Amino acid sequence: MSAEIEMDDRLLAHLRLVILTKMRNHEAFSLSWTMEPGQGSGRETLWVHPSIPLRFRFYGSRPAAINRAWIELMVQAANRGDLRIMPEPASDVDN
């Protein structure tokens, strides 16, 4: 079964860095998020494992600036076993 999940390119750029780092280290984890009311609301969780192929599709042609604080928050969550989509903190945006 395959599914396509749409999200903002900026969020996807940050998730991609965290997910590929975990996969490179052969670590499995879950990825969870809250669905928007227009999508029926509720929560969704995926199991992410290095043996499961993933594809990251960006709609824009320019890479997003990376917020290191956001990456760190996501890595901490993933290290606890459940990477969650969370709001971007308002600090530390680098190119």
Side-chain angles (χ1 to χ4, degrees), residues 5 20 22 29-30 34 37 44 46 52 57 68 75 77 80 95:
I5 302 161
L20 293 179
K22 298 294 282 180
F29 57 95
S30 64
T34 303
E44 201 160 336
L46 294 175
I52 300 170
R57 181 177 179 187
R68 294 179 193 276
V75 166
R80 290 188 300 270
N95 282 325

mmCIF file of all heavy atoms in Angstrom, residues 5 20 22 29-30 34 37 44 46 52 57 68 75 77 80 95:
data_model
loop_
_atom_site.group_PDB
_atom_site.id
_atom_site.type_symbol
_atom_site.label_atom_id
_atom_site.label_comp_id
_atom_site.label_asym_id
_atom_site.label_seq_id
_atom_site.Cartn_x
_atom_site.Cartn_y
_atom_site.Cartn_z
ATOM 1 N N ILE A 5 1.147 11.932 1.095
ATOM 2 C CA ILE A 5 0.776 12.863 2.146
ATOM 3 C C ILE A 5 1.292 14.230 1.739
ATOM 4 O O ILE A 5 2.492 14.393 1.514
ATOM 5 C CB ILE A 5 1.381 12.441 3.499
ATOM 6 C CG1 ILE A 5 0.908 11.034 3.845
ATOM 7 C CG2 ILE A 5 1.020 13.431 4.588
ATOM 8 C CD1 ILE A 5 1.742 10.340 4.874
ATOM 9 N N LEU A 20 15.920 11.057 7.130
ATOM 10 C CA LEU A 20 17.082 10.442 6.476
ATOM 11 C C LEU A 20 18.218 10.186 7.459
ATOM 12 O O LEU A 20 18.929 9.181 7.341
ATOM 13 C CB LEU A 20 17.545 11.302 5.308
ATOM 14 C CG LEU A 20 16.566 11.371 4.133
ATOM 15 C CD1 LEU A 20 17.117 12.264 3.029
ATOM 16 C CD2 LEU A 20 16.237 9.988 3.601
ATOM 17 N N LYS A 22 17.821 9.404 10.663
ATOM 18 C CA LYS A 22 17.417 8.211 11.416
ATOM 19 C C LYS A 22 17.577 6.945 10.556
ATOM 20 O O LYS A 22 18.060 5.928 11.038
ATOM 21 C CB LYS A 22 15.972 8.335 11.892
ATOM 22 C CG LYS A 22 15.710 9.496 12.847
ATOM 23 C CD LYS A 22 16.410 9.331 14.160
ATOM 24 C CE LYS A 22 15.673 8.369 15.041
ATOM 25 N NZ LYS A 22 16.323 8.184 16.344
ATOM 26 N N PHE A 29 11.116 4.341 13.692
ATOM 27 C CA PHE A 29 10.370 5.223 14.596
ATOM 28 C C PHE A 29 9.004 5.481 13.971
ATOM 29 O O PHE A 29 8.752 5.118 12.824
ATOM 30 C CB PHE A 29 11.119 6.546 14.807
ATOM 31 C CG PHE A 29 11.401 7.278 13.526
ATOM 32 C CD1 PHE A 29 10.550 8.273 13.079
ATOM 33 C CD2 PHE A 29 12.509 6.952 12.748
ATOM 34 C CE1 PHE A 29 10.798 8.924 11.881
ATOM 35 C CE2 PHE A 29 12.762 7.599 11.554
ATOM 36 C CZ PHE A 29 11.893 8.592 11.118
ATOM 37 N N SER A 30 8.121 6.107 14.733
ATOM 38 C CA SER A 30 6.831 6.498 14.177
ATOM 39 C C SER A 30 6.851 7.991 13.855
ATOM 40 O O SER A 30 7.624 8.757 14.429
ATOM 41 C CB SER A 30 5.690 6.163 15.138
ATOM 42 O OG SER A 30 5.822 6.904 16.332
ATOM 43 N N THR A 34 -1.417 15.694 13.533
ATOM 44 C CA THR A 34 -2.847 15.964 13.665
ATOM 45 C C THR A 34 -3.357 16.417 12.306
ATOM 46 O O THR A 34 -2.748 17.264 11.661
ATOM 47 C CB THR A 34 -3.078 17.063 14.715
ATOM 48 O OG1 THR A 34 -2.493 16.640 15.949
ATOM 49 C CG2 THR A 34 -4.550 17.324 14.918
ATOM 50 N N PRO A 37 -8.964 20.073 9.977
ATOM 51 C CA PRO A 37 -10.415 19.827 9.879
ATOM 52 C C PRO A 37 -10.887 19.560 8.445
ATOM 53 O O PRO A 37 -11.774 18.741 8.226
ATOM 54 C CB PRO A 37 -11.031 21.115 10.423
ATOM 55 C CG PRO A 37 -9.998 21.653 11.356
ATOM 56 C CD PRO A 37 -8.671 21.277 10.740
ATOM 57 N N GLU A 44 -2.970 10.898 12.761
ATOM 58 C CA GLU A 44 -2.467 9.843 11.888
ATOM 59 C C GLU A 44 -1.038 9.527 12.299
ATOM 60 O O GLU A 44 -0.291 10.411 12.714
ATOM 61 C CB GLU A 44 -2.518 10.302 10.428
ATOM 62 C CG GLU A 44 -2.499 9.146 9.469
ATOM 63 C CD GLU A 44 -3.030 9.518 8.086
ATOM 64 O OE1 GLU A 44 -3.798 10.471 7.945
ATOM 65 O OE2 GLU A 44 -2.628 8.818 7.148
ATOM 66 N N LEU A 46 2.441 7.019 11.049
ATOM 67 C CA LEU A 46 3.104 6.097 10.125
ATOM 68 C C LEU A 46 4.275 5.436 10.845
ATOM 69 O O LEU A 46 4.938 6.073 11.668
ATOM 70 C CB LEU A 46 3.683 6.845 8.922
ATOM 71 C CG LEU A 46 2.726 7.503 7.958
ATOM 72 C CD1 LEU A 46 3.520 8.288 6.918
ATOM 73 C CD2 LEU A 46 1.869 6.464 7.279
ATOM 74 N N ILE A 52 11.594 0.417 4.399
ATOM 75 C CA ILE A 52 10.409 0.907 3.703
ATOM 76 C C ILE A 52 10.807 2.073 2.801
ATOM 77 O O ILE A 52 11.320 3.074 3.284
ATOM 78 C CB ILE A 52 9.329 1.359 4.712
ATOM 79 C CG1 ILE A 52 8.914 0.200 5.608
ATOM 80 C CG2 ILE A 52 8.129 1.949 3.981
ATOM 81 C CD1 ILE A 52 8.028 0.606 6.779
ATOM 82 N N ARG A 57 8.627 14.621 -2.205
ATOM 83 C CA ARG A 57 8.331 15.415 -3.404
ATOM 84 C C ARG A 57 8.085 16.866 -2.987
ATOM 85 O O ARG A 57 7.163 17.154 -2.230
ATOM 86 C CB ARG A 57 7.100 14.873 -4.100
ATOM 87 C CG ARG A 57 6.774 15.635 -5.349
ATOM 88 C CD ARG A 57 5.591 15.034 -6.043
ATOM 89 N NE ARG A 57 5.290 15.801 -7.239
ATOM 90 C CZ ARG A 57 4.243 15.601 -7.973
ATOM 91 N NH1 ARG A 57 3.395 14.659 -7.668
ATOM 92 N NH2 ARG A 57 4.037 16.355 -9.030
ATOM 93 N N ARG A 68 17.664 25.278 12.585
ATOM 94 C CA ARG A 68 18.340 24.243 13.386
ATOM 95 C C ARG A 68 17.591 23.907 14.668
ATOM 96 O O ARG A 68 17.588 22.763 15.115
ATOM 97 C CB ARG A 68 19.761 24.667 13.688
ATOM 98 C CG ARG A 68 20.635 24.754 12.446
ATOM 99 C CD ARG A 68 22.063 25.203 12.806
ATOM 100 N NE ARG A 68 22.809 25.569 11.635
ATOM 101 C CZ ARG A 68 23.454 24.707 10.861
ATOM 102 N NH1 ARG A 68 23.411 23.433 11.117
ATOM 103 N NH2 ARG A 68 24.126 25.137 9.810
ATOM 104 N N VAL A 75 14.413 15.914 16.122
ATOM 105 C CA VAL A 75 15.346 14.815 16.415
ATOM 106 C C VAL A 75 15.098 14.273 17.822
ATOM 107 O O VAL A 75 15.076 13.061 18.032
ATOM 108 C CB VAL A 75 16.813 15.274 16.245
ATOM 109 C CG1 VAL A 75 17.783 14.283 16.866
ATOM 110 C CG2 VAL A 75 17.133 15.484 14.774
ATOM 111 N N ALA A 77 12.309 14.297 19.503
ATOM 112 C CA ALA A 77 11.071 13.514 19.465
ATOM 113 C C ALA A 77 11.306 12.162 18.791
ATOM 114 O O ALA A 77 10.853 11.127 19.289
ATOM 115 C CB ALA A 77 9.974 14.295 18.740
ATOM 116 N N ARG A 80 12.985 9.650 20.925
ATOM 117 C CA ARG A 80 12.073 9.049 21.911
ATOM 118 C C ARG A 80 11.152 8.029 21.244
ATOM 119 O O ARG A 80 10.351 7.388 21.902
ATOM 120 C CB ARG A 80 11.254 10.123 22.619
ATOM 121 C CG ARG A 80 12.070 10.985 23.564
ATOM 122 C CD ARG A 80 11.207 11.921 24.408
ATOM 123 N NE ARG A 80 10.407 12.845 23.609
ATOM 124 C CZ ARG A 80 10.804 14.056 23.226
ATOM 125 N NH1 ARG A 80 11.998 14.496 23.557
ATOM 126 N NH2 ARG A 80 10.004 14.814 22.519
ATOM 127 N N ASN A 95 20.725 29.606 6.233
ATOM 128 C CA ASN A 95 20.685 29.093 4.857
ATOM 129 C C ASN A 95 21.695 28.013 4.691
ATOM 130 O O ASN A 95 22.668 27.911 5.248
ATOM 131 C CB ASN A 95 20.950 30.212 3.849
ATOM 132 C CG ASN A 95 19.714 31.071 3.650
ATOM 133 O OD1 ASN A 95 18.599 30.548 3.687
ATOM 134 N ND2 ASN A 95 19.913 32.338 3.447
#
